[in-house]
Amino acid sequence: MSLKVAIVGRPNVGKSTLFNRLAGKKLAIVDDRPGVTRDRRYARGLLGDIDLTLIDTAGFEDVSDESLESRMRRQTELAVEEADLILFVIDAREGIVPLDRIFADLVRKRDKPTLLIGNKAEGKAGDVGLAEAVRLGFGDPIALSAEHGEGMADLYAAVLPFEPEDESDDDEAGKPIMVAIMGRPNAGKSTLVNRLLGEDRMLTGPEAGITRDSISVDFEWDGRPVRLVDTAGMRRKARVQEKLEKLSVADTIRALTFAEVVVLMMDEANAFDTQDLQLADLVEREGRALVYCISKWDRVDDGKERLAELREEADRLLPQLKGSPLIALSAQTGRGVDRLMPAVFEAHRQWSAKVKTRDLNDWLALAVQRHPPPAVDGRRIKPKYMTQTKARPPTFVLFANRASQMPDHYKRYLINSLRESFDLPGVPMRLTVKSGANPFAEGPGPEKTAPRRHRKAEAAEAREDKPRKPKVATKRVTGLKPGSGKKSGSTVLVGKRARTGARAVSRSGRIRTAPKGSGKR
């Protein structure tokens, strides 16, 4: 069983930096300006051998009206109520300020175990602030530097007495379905999460861009574990100029890569705008299941006609995701929310589908018979065999001759036919076309033994191409006179290609040839 720890304090004292240090990764957005963190953020952490459930909170503000800062304060108070141990963080360099004393009184009334942390205490610049922190009444502060990792051993020694006893965790019996809720700013994403959870878990309001971090929340729907991820709104890339908004967009894209199903929230008034289409195309390229969600449906008078228009517009503008479920709801009133999660589970089931190889090849034969592949350069492409290599998303491999020349439009025909035949509407698919290696083709590759008739033909061609030496003609000379140096009847070689003429001089000297052009003797 892990120890639930809430990291609290006034703005810009290093709470998110300490949260990232204990989590072992950069999860929370960190910036020099105060007030970056707004929602409660949970993560699993480790301090030595102590398992922690970390809660990062917004900076405490002493306001109690209906402003955004007041709503952030209520989130911090909920985190204090939920935690088993409180890490009260102060800035050791600045020392104690009035806001620290106000927040210390609020924490003291909760009667929770509290450790005082003096952050930014590297060097000697924080010695005076650490000495002043004793006045808060939480004992001697723990000096550390969350940015550089100094003082973590002292923090471990202070947290160790609060470690709970080991108990078996039966909560993680089934792996939750990862569902990311994306969309443009002020589309109603956080309001939908609060409606599904039945509590005010996320900060909401009329202001656009309230959510900055991607916040994950675990809950159950009909006994099935689900992990919802509320993300920051994404504007067009040309409008994203500030560093903080760029970090929020990067955090949203990271949440998309870990999601299994994406719920794309769109305002009913301007659904399927350019930014919505780009987000949907990004989801398809990442290979995630997609569910369209039209929010603020309580403003629509003729819902049936408007819904038909939106379905036709979705299929026309996003043909690569044709058939994706479209749910219209109002997160503010709860109208239509009960239809969202069944659509998410169905999209996840189709996204995880596996098709038998035999059924695939039976379908392939019918699809090719109905629409044969086109002939490229006068030679027809012949699909031979097909199989599914993996799911999530469904990925298929098609073996055919001349695979590199198969047109893209024929691949789209095969994918659309797959979706229609196996009831997988809107599921992103991957189709790879390969061709078997030709053992007689030139080029590098594994050496293979050719048939015997081919080896004989190759040897014959090699002999014909080999250059031959010129043959030298020979002539037997007889009847030599006895006075010569050789016996009569001996054989003498006479070459035709002598330097001086057409014939070489014999050994006896009797047979001679003159140079070319001269007469016989």
Side-chain angles (χ1 to χ4, degrees):
M1 184 177 180
S2 60
L3 178 66
K4 188 171 288 187
V5 178
I7 305 175
V8 299
R10 61 183 177 88
N12 206 23
V13 296
K15 299 183 298 298
S16 296
T17 306
L18 180 58
F19 176 84
N20 291 339
R21 172 68 61 178
L22 295 176
K25 59 184 73 173
K26 292 184 178 181
L27 297 177
I29 296 177
V30 178
D31 195 71
D32 294 335
R33 72 176 71 180
V36 174
T37 305
R38 291 176 175 176
D39 290 287
R40 287 177 288 162
R41 180 160 194 160
Y42 291 75
R44 303 300 295 268
L46 196 65
L47 181 59
D49 57 351
I50 305 176
D51 292 329
L52 303 176
T53 299
L54 304 171
I55 310 176
D56 188 20
T57 61
F60 178 79
E61 297 284 354
D62 188 22
V63 289
S64 57
D65 52 5
E66 294 300 325
S67 62
L68 179 62
E69 289 77 11
S70 177
R71 284 173 272 163
M72 292 163 58
R73 172 180 173 171
R74 286 197 289 269
Q75 292 288 326
T76 303
E77 292 176 352
L78 291 174
V80 171
E81 293 287 347
E82 186 180 356
D84 302 324
L85 176 65
I86 299 173
L87 299 183
F88 185 11
V89 184
I90 63 170
D91 191 340
R93 295 185 177 183
E94 294 185 4
I96 302 301
V97 299
L99 193 58
D100 289 329
R101 295 188 176 92
I102 296 174
F103 191 46
D105 294 338
L106 187 145
V107 173
R108 196 178 293 109
K109 293 178 182 179
R110 297 297 189 274
D111 195 18
K112 290 288 186 74
T114 306
L115 295 178
L116 186 61
I117 307 296
N119 193 25
K120 307 179 184 179
E122 60 271 13
K124 297 183 179 181
D127 293 345
V128 178
L130 292 174
E132 293 179 357
V134 181
R135 302 178 184 177
L136 295 177
F138 295 107
D140 295 334
I142 302 171
L144 58 84
S145 172
E147 180 68 25
H148 304 287
E150 299 178 4
M152 302 306 293
D154 298 334
L155 179 62
Y156 171 78
V159 174
L160 187 59
F162 302 98
E163 182 182 11
E165 298 180 358
D166 293 336
E167 296 181 3
S168 59
D169 289 340
D170 297 332
D171 298 336
E172 300 183 359
K175 184 180 179 181
I177 299 177
M178 302 289 291
V179 181
I181 302 178
M182 296 178 58
R184 288 180 295 166
N186 206 20
K189 301 181 293 296
S190 299
T191 306
L192 176 61
V193 173
N194 290 341
R195 174 64 63 177
L196 291 173
L197 297 177
E199 59 175 317
D200 292 336
R201 174 63 180 81
M202 303 295 174
L203 282 176
T204 58
E207 304 90 351
I210 293 180
T211 304
R212 285 176 175 168
D213 295 273
S214 296
I215 309 298
S216 62
V217 185
D218 293 340
F219 81 111
E220 287 190 359
W221 183 276
D222 288 342
R224 299 185 62 177
V226 180
R227 179 168 295 171
L228 286 176
V229 183
D230 184 22
T231 63
M234 294 180 63
R235 299 194 297 170
R236 284 188 295 178
K237 188 176 182 180
R239 296 184 179 180
V240 180
Q241 301 294 336
E242 296 184 0
K243 174 187 174 183
L244 192 58
E245 188 172 0
K246 291 181 180 178
L247 294 175
S248 299
V249 171
D251 199 20
T252 301
I253 295 176
R254 188 182 66 86
L256 169 62
T257 59
F258 287 98
E260 297 175 344
V261 182
V262 176
V263 178
L264 182 58
M265 293 283 293
M266 294 173 284
D267 194 338
E268 180 275 332
N270 49 11
F272 295 104
D273 198 1
T274 303
Q275 181 64 7
D276 297 328
L277 300 180
Q278 292 179 353
L279 290 177
D281 183 66
L282 176 63
V283 173
E284 193 275 335
R285 284 187 279 113
E286 288 291 334
R288 303 296 181 260
L290 180 64
V291 176
Y292 300 122
C293 184
I294 309 299
S295 63
K296 304 177 183 179
W297 198 248
D298 52 333
R299 303 177 181 177
V300 180
D301 296 330
D302 191 359
K304 185 177 295 186
E305 182 179 353
R306 177 60 176 160
L307 189 61
E309 294 177 0
L310 291 174
R311 289 185 186 278
E312 187 273 334
E313 192 172 2
D315 294 341
R316 177 175 55 85
L317 297 175
L318 295 167
Q320 68 272 29
L321 293 169
K322 186 176 181 180
S324 296
L326 190 146
I327 306 298
L329 53 83
S330 172
Q332 189 71 28
T333 61
R335 174 186 174 187
V337 176
D338 55 342
R339 297 195 300 268
L340 177 62
M341 292 311 299
V344 168
F345 292 146
E346 180 64 19
H348 184 268
R349 184 192 65 80
Q350 295 175 353
W351 184 65
S352 308
K354 293 183 179 180
V355 184
K356 295 181 180 179
T357 304
R358 179 179 178 180
D359 297 339
L360 270 177
N361 287 277
D362 292 343
W363 162 84
L364 179 63
L366 295 175
V368 172
Q369 184 179 3
R370 188 186 314 119
H371 185 187
V376 180
D377 296 334
R379 299 175 60 188
R380 188 170 295 280
I381 301 173
K382 299 178 182 179
K384 300 177 181 179
Y385 178 77
M386 191 172 187
T387 184
Q388 182 177 1
T389 55
K390 74 181 194 71
R392 300 184 177 186
T395 304
F396 303 93
V397 176
L398 173 63
F399 294 92
N401 66 331
R402 311 179 70 209
S404 60
Q405 299 183 5
M406 180 173 286
D408 292 336
H409 66 83
Y410 195 77
K411 295 179 183 178
R412 289 194 295 269
Y413 158 71
L414 293 177
I415 290 177
N416 292 332
S417 182
L418 266 174
R419 289 175 177 161
E420 182 181 355
S421 301
F422 294 100
D423 194 18
L424 301 174
V427 177
M429 292 184 180
R430 303 290 183 262
L431 178 62
T432 305
V433 184
K434 294 182 178 181
S435 59
N438 186 359
F440 312 114
E442 297 181 358
E447 296 183 359
K448 296 185 178 181
T449 304
R452 188 174 181 179
R453 62 179 182 276
H454 293 285
R455 295 201 303 269
K456 287 184 177 181
E458 292 176 358
E461 291 178 0
R463 287 195 299 269
E464 291 178 359
D465 296 339
K466 186 177 180 180
R468 300 178 181 179
K469 295 181 179 180
K471 294 183 179 180
V472 179
T474 61
K475 182 178 180 181
R476 183 180 298 272
V477 181
T478 57
L480 295 179
K481 292 184 178 181
S484 61
K486 295 293 181 178
K487 294 182 179 180
S488 178
S490 62
T491 302
V492 180
L493 295 178
V494 180
K496 289 184 178 180
R497 295 185 181 180
R499 293 182 182 178
T500 57
R503 295 180 183 273
V505 181
S506 66
R507 294 181 184 273
S508 62
R510 298 293 183 181
I511 301 177
R512 295 183 181 276
T513 56
K516 292 182 178 180
S518 61
K520 288 185 178 182
R521 292 184 181 181

